Amino acid sequence: MAKNNTPEYDLTFVAPQRREEVLRRIRALERYINDPRGEVALEGARELGLHRRQFYYLVKVWRESRKPEKIFTARRAKDPYLKSPIEIQDIIRRAAAELPTASPRQVWLRASEIAKEAGLKMVTESTARRFVRMLRRQIDTNDPVSSSIVIDQCAIDISTPATDGGRTMPIATLVIDPVAHRVLGLALSLNISPKYVARALVDALLQTGPHTAGQEPTIKLNVTANIAWRKLSEICVSSGTALEKRIKKQIIGGDWTSKLIGQRLADFHLRPKMTRFTENLRLPTKIEMSLAEAEELLRARIHADAPHESAFSSMPELQRMELLRKLAGFAL
């Protein structure tokens, strides 16, 4: 008699009517964990009827807990088109995934059947139609945010030497994957400068995994009209990297960090609102170390699972190496 190789999971705390859906999710999550490529994540998100960002969040929940009951109830950002229980949103996503070419009405009818079996009340047809259209727009655009790299600057609560001999919080220039909500590279400094953006990008590129097919990255960042910022932009563009720039009189930083990665980085508190202050006003409260030691520690922690797969992975190897060479020269 052939052995059943299907892993067994403890579904004790999962309601009977939800177990099939929970197991379906776990199978998709395990496929990605065993083969963590972007296309596998996209396939899993489509199978479950989720936005890719939501899929990555479920991966995080499953990796950290391994508890099936958390897979169904994991909270996500609210969808603006559907103010209803998470269970109903999940049912509509499931129906949309089952019927990818069906009309929104047919998806609503199928979702209503699933909801009835689960003892839940389905939303109105018009509400479901709006939600289905929103889901399909997300999938049809292939989640453009997943092909973007966001650069931001943020004060971090580590005590490092200041220019005047005192102590200050350094500024972390961060290269962020806005879908996986993780830092791909960083550089520490006492001020904001294009040189540190280049250093952070070099750090991210050095930790990037092998080339994978996909849309090449768009780097989103704030710049000024200063010649050094223009030079950095020219380096990126000349190497075939698209830029989405916001030109400002002064770069204050902290615009995106907390929204994308939260309030902590590698067990240290991030202080977005302190980023705008000068060194003598960024008073630290944490452990003292040199700027170089702090940068080395942070990089070791964020790169613990390197190489990373990110939007940079879609760049051809020669193009990536050319960008790395130019940025490294600029950062010196």
Side-chain angles (χ1 to χ4, degrees):
M1 183 176 177
K3 290 185 177 180
N4 184 358
N5 294 321
T6 303
E8 292 186 2
Y9 303 101
D10 183 0
L11 302 177
T12 304
F13 300 104
V14 180
Q17 69 269 23
R18 296 177 177 174
R19 289 176 182 176
E20 181 183 348
E21 174 64 15
V22 166
L23 287 173
R24 193 170 73 97
R25 288 185 173 202
I26 290 174
R27 287 192 290 268
L29 298 175
E30 288 289 358
R31 281 198 299 273
Y32 172 75
I33 289 171
N34 293 327
D35 185 12
R37 292 178 293 121
E39 52 263 44
V40 179
L42 179 59
E43 180 183 340
R46 284 176 170 167
E47 178 185 338
L48 300 180
L50 299 174
H51 191 284
R52 195 178 335 189
R53 181 180 285 112
Q54 295 165 328
F55 181 80
Y56 281 124
Y57 181 70
L58 284 184
V59 169
K60 179 176 181 290
V61 170
W62 180 239
R63 274 178 169 157
E64 292 177 353
S65 72
R66 309 300 292 188
K67 293 180 178 179
E69 63 268 23
K70 290 194 173 183
I71 293 303
F72 195 88
T73 59
R75 294 182 62 83
R76 300 182 297 271
K78 290 183 179 179
D79 292 296
Y81 295 98
L82 186 61
K83 295 180 180 179
S84 60
I86 292 295
E87 291 88 347
I88 296 299
Q89 297 180 31
D90 289 332
I91 286 172
I92 297 176
R93 287 191 177 90
R94 177 180 169 183
E98 288 181 8
L99 304 169
T101 61
S103 69
R105 175 176 172 77
Q106 290 174 311
V107 173
W108 172 69
L109 290 171
R110 173 60 183 140
S112 298
E113 292 175 359
I114 299 172
K116 186 176 181 180
E117 292 171 2
L120 297 172
K121 183 179 179 181
M122 179 49 56
V123 294
T124 64
E125 181 182 347
S126 60
T127 300
R129 280 205 314 265
R130 289 197 302 272
F131 189 54
V132 170
R133 285 195 289 267
M134 182 271 292
L135 285 175
R136 287 176 172 172
R137 281 198 301 272
Q138 291 175 341
I139 293 174
D140 290 344
T141 56
N142 197 19
D143 193 7
V145 71
S146 68
S147 296
S148 297
I149 300 294
V150 174
I151 294 177
D152 197 15
Q153 293 83 11
C154 187
I156 185 167
D157 199 352
I158 300 174
S159 179
T160 60
T163 306
D164 63 5
R167 311 295 298 184
T168 188
M169 290 185 200
I171 301 295
T173 297
L174 305 172
V175 180
I176 303 171
D177 182 327
V179 173
H181 299 283
R182 71 180 177 194
V183 175
L184 303 173
L186 64 81
L188 290 190
S189 60
L190 298 181
N191 52 60
I192 295 174
S193 163
K195 178 172 75 172
Y196 301 116
V197 172
R199 287 189 59 220
L201 283 168
V202 166
D203 183 43
L205 287 164
L206 286 173
Q207 303 298 330
T208 300
H211 177 261
T212 58
Q215 182 180 345
E216 292 185 19
T218 297
I219 298 177
K220 301 181 181 183
L221 75 166
N222 294 324
V223 301
T224 71
N226 180 281
I227 189 170
W229 286 103
R230 292 204 301 270
K231 177 64 175 175
L232 175 65
S233 299
E234 290 169 4
I235 287 173
C236 294
V237 172
S238 68
S239 299
T241 303
L243 289 183
E244 184 178 320
K245 299 184 293 183
R246 295 200 308 184
I247 300 176
K248 297 193 169 187
K249 289 184 179 181
Q250 180 184 2
I251 299 174
I252 295 175
D255 289 354
W256 300 307
T257 299
S258 59
K259 296 176 184 176
L260 293 176
I261 62 171
Q263 300 296 322
R264 297 177 72 87
L265 175 64
D267 294 328
F268 291 97
H269 285 284
L270 294 166
R271 305 294 188 192
K273 292 182 180 179
M274 297 296 294
T275 311
R276 66 189 67 195
F277 295 116
T278 55
E279 286 181 50
N280 62 313
L281 296 177
R282 297 197 306 265
L283 301 179
T285 62
K286 298 297 181 182
I287 186 170
E288 295 187 4
M289 62 182 79
S290 72
L291 199 63
E293 289 171 338
E295 184 177 84
E296 183 179 0
L297 174 62
L298 289 171
R299 285 181 172 177
R301 290 183 178 180
I302 68 169
H303 296 320
D305 61 346
H308 306 302
E309 182 184 345
S310 69
F312 284 131
S313 304
S314 63
M315 296 178 69
E317 294 287 350
L318 290 178
Q319 182 181 330
R320 194 193 309 173
M321 290 302 103
E322 177 68 8
L323 177 59
L324 182 59
R325 182 184 66 79
K326 291 180 179 179
L327 288 170
F330 179 80
L332 293 176

